[in-house]
Amino acid sequence: MRYIQMQLFLILAILAYSVQGLLGIGRLQSVAVSGRLICDGRPAAGVKVKMYEKEFFLDRKMAEVYTDVNGVFQITGRKREISTIDPKVNVYHKCNYAGICYKKFGITIPDDYITWGYSPNRNYDIGTLNLANKYTGTTTDCLN
């Protein structure tokens, strides 16, 4: 009986989430992040940076960019949500790594950088990050 209740709860939660997205319920929110990525002191050009909205079941991609020849990126994302969005930025790189897949680490964006509306009022600048450093939560990702 408890198993059936759990299944029913999960189905209702997924249905509620889907209806919210289809009907456009919630407020439009936006966020912007910028920074510079280097590898051992040299610009990390062509590094993939993705912005996600952290969700209960599966994170949803909001935007994707690549660093320029100087290792600089600017990414902006927006999403309609009833509650405050919980954005993060993932960086996928091969700095000092020769594996088939990519090294990945994420940066959670503070709530005070989230703007109600289409265009962000503030930009979260992560500064210059050396991809040769070890970052907490770094994993290997083959399906980015």
Side-chain angles (χ1 to χ4, degrees):
M1 181 67 164
R2 187 145 176 86
Y3 178 73
I4 293 172
Q5 289 175 333
M6 184 58 89
Q7 281 185 323
L8 183 59
F9 172 76
L10 288 174
I11 290 169
L12 290 174
I14 292 169
L15 182 62
Y17 178 75
S18 299
V19 168
Q20 170 192 323
L22 291 174
L23 298 178
I25 298 171
R27 288 184 163 181
L28 184 63
Q29 301 168 57
S30 57
V31 62
V33 179
S34 64
R36 182 168 186 248
L37 304 176
I38 61 173
C39 178
D40 289 330
R42 294 182 308 276
V47 173
K48 186 186 296 186
V49 179
K50 289 185 178 183
M51 181 180 287
Y52 287 92
E53 155 65 2
K54 292 192 265 182
E55 297 288 353
F56 184 71
F57 292 110
L58 187 64
D59 295 342
R60 296 181 65 159
K61 186 170 81 167
M62 297 168 60
E64 177 179 333
V65 297
Y66 289 85
T67 56
D68 66 14
V69 295
N70 297 312
V72 175
F73 73 92
Q74 169 76 40
I75 188 166
T76 302
R78 55 194 59 83
K79 186 164 183 295
R80 189 171 296 278
E81 184 87 21
I82 292 173
S83 60
T84 303
I85 60 174
D86 193 13
K88 70 175 180 175
V89 170
N90 286 347
V91 176
Y92 303 86
H93 70 90
K94 287 199 168 194
C95 176
N96 297 336
Y97 178 68
I100 297 171
C101 302
Y102 289 83
K103 290 290 187 178
K104 175 185 96 173
F105 66 91
I107 300 168
T108 301
I109 312 308
D111 286 349
D112 46 324
Y113 286 89
I114 298 168
T115 301
W116 296 103
Y118 186 82
S119 299
N121 291 336
R122 298 175 67 192
N123 177 67
Y124 185 62
D125 185 355
I126 65 167
T128 300
L129 298 180
N130 186 349
L131 300 177
N133 292 342
K134 296 196 185 314
Y135 294 96
T136 303
T138 297
T139 60
T140 304
D141 188 325
C142 295
L143 303 173
N144 61 60

